[in-house]
Amino acid sequence: RLFSARQLCACRRCLTRSPRTWLAACVLLVLCVHYLLLLPRPLLTANSDAARQRLAGSAGPAGSRDGSSQRGSEGGGGNSDSGTPPRHPRLQFACRRSDAPEWPVDLGPLPAGQLKLRSDAKILLLVDNENGPVIRQLINLLEHMRLSYKTAPTWKPLPHLTSSDRGRFGAILMDSLSAYLNMDRWNRGLLDRYCRDYAVGQVAAMLASGGGGSGGVRRRRQQQRRRRQQQKLYRNGRLGDLPVWASPVSIGDLINSSSSGSANIGIHVSRLSPVTRLTKSGILAELPLPGDTGAGHWMTFNTSHEGYGYVAWFKSSNKANGDSGGDRLATVLSDSGRYDGIARVIFGYDFSPWLHAALLADALAWTSRGRFAQSLDRFVQVDIDDVFVGPSGLRMLPNDVDALVATQRRWRSRFGLSGFTFQLGFSGRYFGRGNPAENAGDARLLTLRRHFLWFPHMYKHNKPHTYASAEALEAVMLKNKDWAIENDLPISPGYAVSPHHSGVYPVHEPLYAAWRSVWSINVTSTEEYPHLRPARRRRGFVYNGVRVLPRETCGIYTHTVRLADYPRGQQRLRQLVLGGELFHTVLLHPICVFMTHMPNYANDRLAYYVFDGLFNFLTCHTNIRLRWADPQRLATLYFNSAHREERQAPLWLSPCADPRHREIWAGPKDLCARLPSLLIVGPQKTGSTALHTFLSLHPQLLPSIKHPRTFEEVQFFTDPNYAKGLLHYYSYFNYTREFTVNFTADPGARPIYFEKSANYFDQARVPGRVKALLPSARIVAILMDPAQRAYSWYQHQLAHGDPAATNYSFYQVITSDDAAPREVRQLRHRCLRPGRYANILKRWFRQYRPRSVYLVDGDQLRNSPAQAVHRLQRWLGLKPQVDYTQLLLYNKRKGFYCYRPVLSDLTVERRPRCLGKGKGRRYPAIDEASLAYLRTYYRHDNAQLYKLLRRHSYKPPGWLLALQNGGKPVA
Ligand code: A3P
């Protein structure tokens, strides 16, 4: 095909005329043969396949649509390797090195801290503009990096920076350097001293103007405050007391900075800066110009102090701009702490450009001396789901299959993804269900099966949550297994994926059981936990021996087959890869499991467009080392480094709140109507059983079914019950109380399920768990004098024959120290801890607004329960309002109030019943010495509680008012 007929004739004429031409022709022939022999194997295979494909295409009507004539003959980026122009779209971008001369930097070592004290791996996020974009970006990036943080406003007193001998924060991050420089003198002094003592660094953004949006009065005031700060700061251009001068960048400078002449900003990254780690040093990063709103916010810095170094800079077109740095205008500046003992990195813009996101990770690592440094290794797994499932017209052809093999090879050698292997998900039923060309593609996949790892789906791509039993699911799995054995597929050991995430989360027990028995599955992945969005918050969990990895999104789905048809424009996909969400994912997550689909490797082969683009971009701009590991190793790596919670059962979220979860929820459909909306959380020994019993008398309130061992307590949200799952919890409420009379005329009055578990109150993880499952529940806690509560618990244990209580007096127990026997320390802990109400309530208030939390005065509940319960039923808005004075009667013999049970016809039994003998025991009053000790022990906590209740407009209980009043009762 290289020569036309005329040229060949001319050549023959030449050959007959001259022997020299003969010689030249022979040399040419040898060269051609040599060239063909040196061609890479896959290309030859692909070409020959393409030829076969064309034949197949012309054989039948379906062949006319096949891609062989439209598609390239090799895998995506593979085109460029052979020198032939690519037919599939390829993601192009400029990968440039900076040619700017570098100033030698000798920043010296970072300050070691005065006292060599230790600090925690938490970040203090100082917020100037809580609604501004910078703080949102910072929080997003911290969530991506899975770093824990605490936010605090710059204009308020700082939170406690230390606890006993440890610093609480390992880094200080700020959305506004100007707010820090203008901080109240005392606060600033405190913060700086903390940073010096604990060798904690600061990372801050400095925008030329606030960058806040418009809004209400409060926001306007904040903006005015910020403007005043800026004006103060720019009086002479110097950044407060730091030896740095700052000036905003003109839009002209931004445009001129790009060497490529494109409408980009060109930023040079220093070759010598010690800050760069993830970010490749010496690159010239091309960033898109900010929109109208962002253009005026870029800031540059200038300094001649030897402790400062340029991390990134513009090349200014205006020579007059740079006094000490020539024509360089620093946009990211590092301060080694030589000036004032604090290491800093200052950013002259926000964190929306990818470069700043990467440099932020580097800045945190540098200022913390590696404490917040992530490994440079990034493990990438690419699954191709449903390799045989897809409508005819969109399926893979033989050359697409060859391209898969070629791509694997190329990624291994070019990107260091040693051993990289695609994982193919199969449903045997759909094999060979396309047109003849596509069926040849399926056949080719089986021929080349050993190049891949295969993971099972259901035989017919069935959704597991539609199967009620493990046996039924096992049947469809076994069919697929037989098919796999028949076709001798190399199965990825212990790894499977469920169609549509069905049954993985929310968990469907039969799926886990069937997976285990048929395939011995112990690793899977999903993007549904805890929710699909936001993707950066996805996490893993372990359930019934199966490690569930979080799956990442790469922007292409089953229906995305052509770049030109990409939803909302192809530019979106480009941005996603070149510095957008997908770039962030790999930049900041050490382990990434991606799910793609078969059509992404046929048609336009968008998968190569995305991954080749991504890997090239990462390799060009970062020092990230791309790695591959099989799912088993990946799961081990992930869960070894994951937070403790991820190594346990998942957080049970209400499947009713998320439409995607609702769709794949296999459990009872009335789950959400039956889950309790009222929880009595304790603490123990405050009268929680009495309150539970009295509320149960109300016809609108339905308590949980009794447990044989824990009686009225469900204790679901505490371990080990929590791992039993939602159906276990639901079983406590799966009943309906029948009334023979209609107790309410109000049609809106629905029954309210409720439960009481007094050990919920003080367990740290319970408020979060309750909130996750019952977001709109109402919480009731009972507060009584913590000293009396502690004593009551001691008496409870004594009555149960606890050796610690029988062998040691109450005073000995509560005053015991760490040298005491274990059981004594444990009893001490159980006596004292639940009474630290302020700290514990704060945890609940973090999850629920105070208006959803009701506090009962324990003394009132004991001495005038009708009044206490009446108030509570008013708060709950119950219908009808029951007259509790008729139901609760004082019993002299018991010394407590007893109750008259309400029957199903709403009549009341005449004989009152009292609570069991374990409630309202008789024992001597607490001794003076113990009481005095406990008064001192709880003094601070009680004062905190008083403040907390006042702050949230609660009326403090009588005993607390009396204590605050020096022990005198308050009217
Ligand atoms: P004591 O047995 O030490 O007196 P809980 O149910 O949370 O475990 O609390 C038990 C405590 O409830 C009892 O502790 C008792 O003081 C108190 N209580 C309040 N009202 C009661 C009632 N009507 N009957 C029995 N105990 C009551």
Side-chain angles (χ1 to χ4, degrees):
R1 273 196 278 141
L2 287 171
F3 306 103
S4 68
R6 240 191 32 227
Q7 284 168 325
L8 283 174
C9 288
C11 187
R12 217 178 35 220
R13 274 201 302 278
C14 287
L15 291 178
T16 47
R17 266 185 224 153
S18 143
R20 256 190 308 165
T21 325
W22 264 108
L23 191 67
C26 285
V27 170
L28 191 68
L29 193 71
V30 169
L31 283 176
C32 283
V33 169
H34 186 68
Y35 173 72
L36 281 175
L37 285 177
L38 281 185
L39 264 187
R41 287 289 314 151
L43 183 60
L44 285 175
T45 325
N47 277 336
S48 50
D49 266 326
R52 271 204 300 281
Q53 199 52 56
R54 266 190 299 279
L55 288 176
S58 60
S64 57
R65 85 90 212 155
D66 77 41
S68 58
S69 56
Q70 300 152 22
R71 301 177 196 169
S73 55
E74 63 199 54
N79 289 322
S80 65
D81 291 348
S82 67
T84 52
R87 293 194 188 174
H88 296 294
R90 284 194 72 197
L91 224 176
Q92 310 277 2
F93 65 90
C95 177
R96 292 178 203 287
R97 305 286 306 166
S98 162
D99 54 0
E102 186 92 26
W103 272 257
V105 270
D106 175 22
L107 297 181
L110 291 182
Q114 301 289 320
L115 306 175
K116 295 207 167 63
L117 294 170
R118 284 182 307 156
S119 58
D120 291 335
K122 196 172 189 179
I123 288 171
L124 176 62
L125 190 49
L126 283 179
V127 185
D128 176 49
N129 183 2
E130 60 208 327
N131 301 308
V134 186
I135 201 67
R136 278 202 306 275
Q137 292 156 4
L138 285 174
I139 289 176
N140 284 357
L141 292 170
L142 291 180
E143 283 177 352
H144 262 304
M145 289 187 260
R146 288 149 201 239
L147 293 175
S148 54
Y149 63 89
K150 179 182 172 59
T151 51
T154 36
W155 64 92
K156 283 193 181 169
L158 289 171
H160 292 297
L161 297 174
T162 55
S163 63
S164 59
D165 66 331
R166 288 181 73 85
R168 292 183 59 212
F169 305 103
I172 314 292
L173 194 53
M174 303 173 226
D175 67 338
S176 164
L177 183 76
S178 52
Y180 158 78
L181 295 171
N182 285 296
M183 236 165 140
D184 162 89
R185 187 189 291 233
W186 170 262
N187 270 345
R188 166 98 190 267
L190 213 62
L191 185 69
D192 286 357
R193 199 166 59 239
Y194 172 78
C195 290
R196 273 183 219 112
D197 288 351
Y198 287 81
V200 164
Q202 301 178 350
V203 179
M206 170 84 204
L207 268 66
S209 56
S214 57
V217 180
R218 192 162 152 244
R219 193 144 343 146
R220 267 204 302 280
R221 256 190 230 138
Q222 278 187 2
Q223 277 173 4
Q224 280 166 4
R225 181 174 52 79
R226 240 171 266 131
R227 223 167 288 143
R228 277 198 303 274
Q229 282 177 1
Q230 296 276 6
Q231 279 163 6
K232 225 164 105 185
L233 209 66
Y234 291 142
R235 218 161 279 157
N236 56 6
R238 185 171 170 173
L239 286 184
D241 47 358
L242 301 179
V244 180
W245 279 259
S247 54
V249 188
S250 72
I251 187 78
D253 258 333
L254 283 181
I255 293 168
N256 288 339
S257 64
S258 169
S259 63
S260 63
S262 60
N264 282 343
I265 309 173
I267 298 201
H268 301 257
V269 176
S270 163
R271 272 193 292 276
L272 302 172
S273 170
V275 177
T276 51
R277 188 172 173 278
L278 278 181
T279 319
K280 198 169 257 178
S281 52
I283 53 167
L284 171 57
E286 297 266 326
L287 307 178
L289 268 179
D292 294 345
T293 47
H297 294 160
W298 277 89
M299 185 68 126
T300 56
F301 310 110
N302 197 337
T303 178
S304 53
H305 192 277
E306 58 200 4
Y308 283 77
Y310 285 17
V311 182
W313 71 84
F314 291 112
K315 251 166 123 179
S316 165
S317 52
N318 178 3
K319 294 277 176 197
N321 268 334
D323 293 343
S324 65
D327 60 350
R328 299 183 313 162
L329 300 166
T331 60
V332 182
L333 195 66
S334 65
D335 166 359
S336 66
R338 266 204 233 174
Y339 178 70
D340 63 355
I342 302 169
R344 292 190 184 87
V345 177
I346 308 169
F347 288 79
Y349 190 58
D350 66 20
F351 299 93
S352 55
W354 63 262
L355 179 66
H356 282 199
L359 284 175
L360 174 74
D362 289 344
L364 285 174
W366 183 68
T367 54
S368 67
R369 285 144 224 272
R371 174 115 191 239
F372 294 110
Q374 289 180 325
S375 149
L376 293 177
D377 290 336
R378 294 291 179 276
F379 286 86
V380 178
Q381 177 183 317
V382 181
D383 290 352
I384 307 178
D385 205 11
D386 301 332
V387 277
F388 302 126
V389 186
S392 177
L394 297 180
R395 297 165 61 124
M396 280 205 277
L397 305 174
N399 57 358
D400 296 321
V401 177
D402 293 331
L404 267 188
V405 178
T407 303
Q408 274 188 177
R409 270 196 215 129
R410 191 160 43 78
W411 286 2
R412 285 174 195 166
S413 61
R414 187 189 285 182
F415 300 118
L417 281 159
S418 156
F420 178 88
T421 307
F422 283 114
Q423 315 261 338
L424 312 186
F426 66 96
S427 297
R429 165 81 163 68
Y430 295 94
F431 175 80
R433 300 260 163 172
N435 62 41
E438 292 166 338
N439 293 347
D442 285 3
R444 183 95 185 126
L445 256 182
L446 285 193
T447 313
L448 297 177
R449 66 191 175 283
R450 301 229 156 262
H451 288 270
F452 313 108
L453 282 170
W454 297 68
F455 64 86
H457 253 12
M458 308 299 139
Y459 181 67
K460 285 189 183 175
H461 201 251
N462 324 58
K463 294 180 191 166
H465 78 277
T466 55
Y467 291 77
S469 71
E471 290 73 32
L473 265 175
E474 277 170 23
V476 284
M477 281 188 194
L478 278 170
K479 233 171 159 186
N480 215 23
K481 190 171 185 176
D482 290 344
W483 189 86
I485 293 170
E486 211 175 284
N487 289 288
D488 188 26
L489 294 186
I491 300 293
S492 181
Y495 182 65
V497 165
S498 180
H500 303 275
H501 309 270
S502 154
V504 180
Y505 190 83
V507 302
H508 182 43
E509 184 51 46
L511 171 68
Y512 285 77
W515 259 349
R516 259 198 322 274
S517 78
V518 177
W519 290 104
S520 307
I521 297 302
N522 60 5
V523 182
T524 185
S525 62
T526 186
E527 56 187 27
E528 294 297 336
Y529 178 70
H531 295 287
L532 181 72
R533 289 197 188 83
R536 62 180 182 276
R537 290 202 201 134
R538 288 181 204 155
R539 296 290 181 266
F541 65 89
V542 180
Y543 185 70
N544 267 0
V546 178
R547 292 167 293 171
V548 184
L549 289 164
R551 200 188 286 167
E552 313 296 347
T553 306
C554 59
I556 44 172
Y557 309 94
T558 341
H559 51 273
T560 37
V561 294
R562 280 189 191 85
L563 185 61
D565 307 329
Y566 193 79
R568 286 188 272 149
Q570 41 183 291
Q571 189 57 18
R572 226 180 104 234
L573 186 60
R574 195 184 150 79
Q575 278 165 2
L576 191 87
V577 178
L578 304 184
E581 183 75 17
L582 183 56
F583 170 79
H584 280 132
T585 303
V586 184
L587 180 77
L588 304 172
H589 298 187
I591 290 167
C592 301
V593 179
F594 289 108
M595 176 57 82
T596 56
H597 294 85
M598 176 268 285
N600 306 143
Y601 296 83
N603 309 291
D604 257 6
R605 296 186 188 162
L606 276 185
Y608 307 141
Y609 177 84
V610 168
F611 286 109
D612 273 301
L614 176 69
F615 295 160
N616 275 322
F617 193 77
L618 282 165
T619 322
C620 170
H621 296 114
T622 71
N623 292 318
I624 272 173
R625 296 184 293 249
L626 292 168
R627 296 273 179 268
W628 179 83
D630 64 86
Q632 291 295 330
R633 210 175 132 230
L634 219 54
T636 310
L637 285 170
Y638 181 87
F639 285 100
N640 280 351
S641 61
H643 286 282
R644 195 164 62 97
E645 295 89 68
E646 289 190 68
R647 286 182 235 143
Q648 298 169 352
L651 197 66
W652 302 115
L653 296 156
S654 165
C656 326
D658 183 327
R660 286 175 63 102
H661 289 184
R662 213 166 37 223
E663 209 184 306
I664 48 179
W665 166 245
K669 295 291 169 225
D670 64 346
L671 174 95
C672 299
R674 281 187 187 275
L675 286 181
S677 49
L678 170 66
L679 252 67
I680 303 170
V681 294
Q684 284 154 326
K685 309 314 291 176
T686 53
S688 58
T689 313
L691 184 61
H692 175 266
T693 312
F694 301 160
L695 284 181
S696 305
L697 303 176
H698 198 290
Q700 204 187 344
L701 292 178
L702 308 189
S704 51
I705 291 170
K706 281 208 163 44
H707 185 277
R709 208 167 37 77
T710 52
F711 309 107
E712 79 278 358
E713 300 223 339
V714 178
Q715 300 184 354
F716 170 70
F717 293 101
T718 49
D719 294 323
N721 289 341
Y722 191 65
K724 292 181 183 163
L726 288 188
L727 292 185
H728 170 77
Y729 195 39
Y730 170 82
S731 68
Y732 284 95
F733 305 97
N734 188 13
Y735 75 97
T736 326
R737 200 200 284 179
E738 293 297 339
F739 286 98
T740 50
V741 290
N742 185 2
F743 67 83
T744 170
D746 188 338
R750 282 185 296 113
I752 296 175
Y753 289 93
F754 80 104
E755 68 131 324
K756 168 280 232 213
S757 301
N759 61 353
Y760 286 168
F761 182 70
D762 55 299
Q763 299 232 0
R765 301 178 67 189
V766 169
R769 288 175 171 180
V770 175
K771 176 72 179 189
L773 183 61
L774 311 170
S776 47
R778 285 190 277 182
I779 308 297
V780 176
I782 308 161
L783 301 184
M784 66 178 275
D785 180 353
Q788 297 298 341
R789 199 215 70 83
Y791 186 53
S792 174
W793 180 258
Y794 173 82
Q795 289 298 337
H796 175 81
Q797 292 301 93
L798 191 64
H800 280 85
D802 177 350
T806 45
N807 297 333
Y808 294 83
S809 70
F810 181 55
Y811 185 77
Q812 282 171 324
V813 170
I814 54 174
T815 55
S816 63
D817 57 19
D818 289 351
R822 195 161 158 262
E823 66 271 17
V824 177
R825 279 183 283 128
Q826 269 173 355
L827 180 58
R828 173 179 194 269
H829 189 65
R830 291 300 310 145
C831 283
L832 298 180
R833 190 182 67 170
R836 304 191 61 181
Y837 299 140
N839 275 340
I840 297 169
L841 276 178
K842 275 184 202 160
R843 281 207 291 257
W844 284 97
F845 288 153
R846 246 172 260 145
Q847 302 294 342
Y848 288 94
R849 288 198 198 157
R851 66 159 189 252
S852 305
V853 179
Y854 187 86
L855 301 176
V856 176
D857 179 343
D859 283 349
Q860 192 185 45
L861 178 66
R862 179 180 172 148
N863 301 325
S864 37
Q867 210 184 341
V869 182
H870 183 72
R871 277 197 185 155
L872 179 52
Q873 70 166 343
R874 260 212 334 252
W875 181 75
L876 289 168
L878 300 184
K879 297 200 175 101
Q881 299 271 300
V882 166
D883 180 3
Y884 274 96
T885 55
Q886 303 297 312
L887 298 180
L888 307 181
L889 306 171
Y890 186 72
N891 185 305
K892 268 199 195 144
R893 199 169 49 78
K894 174 97 182 166
F896 283 91
Y897 276 82
C898 298
Y899 63 98
R900 295 167 69 193
V902 177
L903 303 174
S904 66
D905 60 356
L906 293 186
T907 57
V908 175
E909 259 186 28
R910 276 180 60 78
R911 253 176 80 85
R913 279 191 219 164
C914 297
L915 301 190
K917 61 179 186 322
K919 305 291 165 183
R921 293 190 176 93
R922 288 182 190 271
Y923 43 78
I926 185 169
D927 62 289
E928 286 290 320
S930 300
L931 189 62
Y933 177 84
L934 290 174
R935 287 281 171 261
T936 317
Y937 181 86
Y938 285 119
R939 180 166 300 139
H940 178 71
D941 291 297
N942 285 338
Q944 292 290 311
L945 176 67
Y946 185 79
K947 270 199 223 156
L948 182 75
L949 297 185
R950 282 280 182 229
R951 191 159 70 239
H952 294 303
S953 313
Y954 284 97
K955 184 173 179 259
W959 59 266
L960 183 62
L961 285 173
L963 284 177
Q964 293 308 105
N965 201 25
K968 286 171 231 133
V970 179

